[in-house]
Amino acid sequence: TFTGGQITNYDPNVSPNLFAPTAFDMSQVATALAGANIKYAVDVVTHGQGFCKWPTATNSFNVSNSSWYAAHGNLDPVAAFCTQMRANRIKPCFYFSLTDLRFEFDNPGKDWSTAPNQLLYLNHKKAQLTELLTNYGPIGAIWFDCNNWHFTTPSITGYAPLGTWTNYGGDYPFAAAGDWKAFVKSIQPNTLVVFDDHQFTYAATDIQEYEVYSNTGHIDATNTAYAEMCETIFAMNQGG
């Protein structure tokens, strides 16, 4: 569902029919990963624009409302991912964006700084997580992204790659990051939480996440933390 723009260029009129892979073969993917001795794989089940790659009951902007889904016998891509990864002894994991632009556009005019509206947003994302952690078997890890980020209310504010997001007291529009970790553990205690909060503590995460430009920093030989490093897409676009 990539439209060629960044997350702040979101078009609320984008159709679920944009999801239309022409050669979807998760068995081939899993076999290739197993051949490379990969131990876990992460599926981006929903990113900041809010499209859900599984047939969720929480919105209409999901794969079940695409022509591709019906044409392929109601094939659930997330279920196929989990099934094929497990068949190849690879742990299935999910990337999950906590910012949901579709939800914001579907609820125009709301002041997300107020507690009732924040709870509405919070419960929406919890419902999605509950589906994912209930319907797809054991999940190795949840990779959380975009917590406390704000783009659309009252208007798109622009993207700041170093984390200077517009927010409300550090909690917009969600509970504290550590609460998400507790929520995941309440459903699947063995699921690892990887929280891209750039705080480098274990309050919210089981694995510290370093999402940085390649020329900004890296995990060196002195590191003793459970940590993962990934380079930002902007760094790659800039040849970093």
Side-chain angles (χ1 to χ4, degrees), residues 117-194:
N117 288 337
Q118 288 190 12
L119 183 61
L120 181 70
Y121 208 139
L122 175 69
N123 287 339
H124 169 70
K125 300 309 290 185
K126 281 187 173 181
Q128 292 184 342
L129 275 172
T130 299
E131 289 179 347
L132 291 167
L133 293 172
T134 302
N135 298 333
Y136 294 99
I139 302 303
I142 295 282
W143 206 100
F144 282 124
D145 203 5
C146 303
N147 191 56
N148 299 341
W149 296 9
H150 171 62
F151 297 102
T152 64
T153 307
S155 62
I156 291 174
T157 59
Y159 185 82
L162 296 180
T164 54
W165 320 104
T166 302
N167 61 64
Y168 296 100
D171 286 330
Y172 170 84
F174 311 110
D179 293 342
W180 288 110
K181 180 180 178 181
F183 183 74
V184 168
K185 303 292 186 180
S186 74
I187 302 173
Q188 289 204 26
N190 294 325
T191 297
L192 295 175
V193 171
V194 184

Side-chain angles (χ1 to χ4, degrees), residues 216-227:
T216 300
H218 61 279
I219 301 173
D220 61 27
T222 65
N223 175 69
T224 59
Y226 294 107

Side-chain angles (χ1 to χ4, degrees), residues 105-116:
F105 277 113
D106 286 346
N107 291 274
K110 289 192 179 296
D111 180 357
W112 297 113
S113 69
T114 66

Side-chain angles (χ1 to χ4, degrees), residues 212-218 229-232 235-236 239-240:
V212 296
Y213 296 106
S214 61
N215 62 354
T216 300
H218 61 279
M229 177 168 178
C230 69
E231 188 178 27
T232 68
M236 288 184 283

